[in-house]
Amino acid sequence: MKSYIDELAEWVDKRAKKKRRQDEAAVAFLAARSNVKEAIDAGYALSTIWEHMHETGKLKCSYETFRKHVRRHMKPTTQADPKTTPKTGAQAFTGKESQDDQKIKTSKVEQKNDDPLNGFTFNATPKKEELF
């Protein structure tokens, strides 16, 4: 018959082997980061990449954790749209706009003037025919 101390020591060893490290998912992702980047560049969806890596045993984390690591450890590869990018320092301070920005604004103003049902416009002096 084993003593309680021997039994306890065996149980502690088994428990330590079962216990996972907190950063195990991050370490596994960083090891597979180049493969993930290649797959993303090839056009595969993140869910497909995660599912394959999860089934093959390369990653043991959840899909949400995988997405978190992708956002945290990989730089975005998409090109920014010049119309939606914020103004740079010189443009913001001087108030100068590029010709494209001016064209967009003038076309929007023209659209507003052409369409009478474009929404509410406040006029401090009302027209007599519009009053009840």
Side-chain angles (χ1 to χ4, degrees), residues 4-112:
Y4 178 72
I5 299 298
D6 293 335
E7 188 178 325
L8 182 62
E10 287 178 23
W11 179 80
V12 169
D13 287 339
K14 286 180 187 178
R15 190 183 79 177
K17 290 178 184 176
K18 289 180 185 178
K19 202 172 193 180
R20 293 176 54 181
R21 291 179 46 171
Q22 280 186 322
D23 63 345
E24 182 179 359
V27 171
F29 176 80
L30 290 174
R33 180 173 47 182
S34 62
N35 295 336
V36 172
K37 180 161 177 32
E38 288 176 15
I40 290 172
D41 291 342
Y44 287 98
L46 285 178
S47 58
T48 305
I49 299 166
W50 171 81
E51 190 173 354
H52 178 260
M53 290 189 156
H54 191 72
E55 285 183 11
T56 57
K58 292 180 182 178
L59 294 176
K60 296 180 182 177
C61 62
S62 67
Y63 178 65
E64 289 78 20
T65 303
F66 174 73
R67 287 182 54 222
K68 178 183 75 170
H69 290 309
V70 169
R71 281 193 309 267
R72 182 178 293 166
H73 298 292
M74 297 182 72
K75 295 179 181 175
T77 57
T78 58
Q79 295 294 327
D81 185 14
K83 294 178 184 174
T84 60
T85 54
K87 293 182 180 180
T88 59
Q91 290 174 337
F93 283 124
T94 61
K96 294 182 180 178
E97 299 172 342
S98 68
Q99 290 178 350
D100 293 334
D101 291 338
Q102 290 174 352
K103 288 178 185 177
I104 291 170
K105 282 187 177 182
T106 56
S107 67
K108 286 182 180 177
V109 169
E110 290 171 1
Q111 288 174 356
K112 286 182 181 178

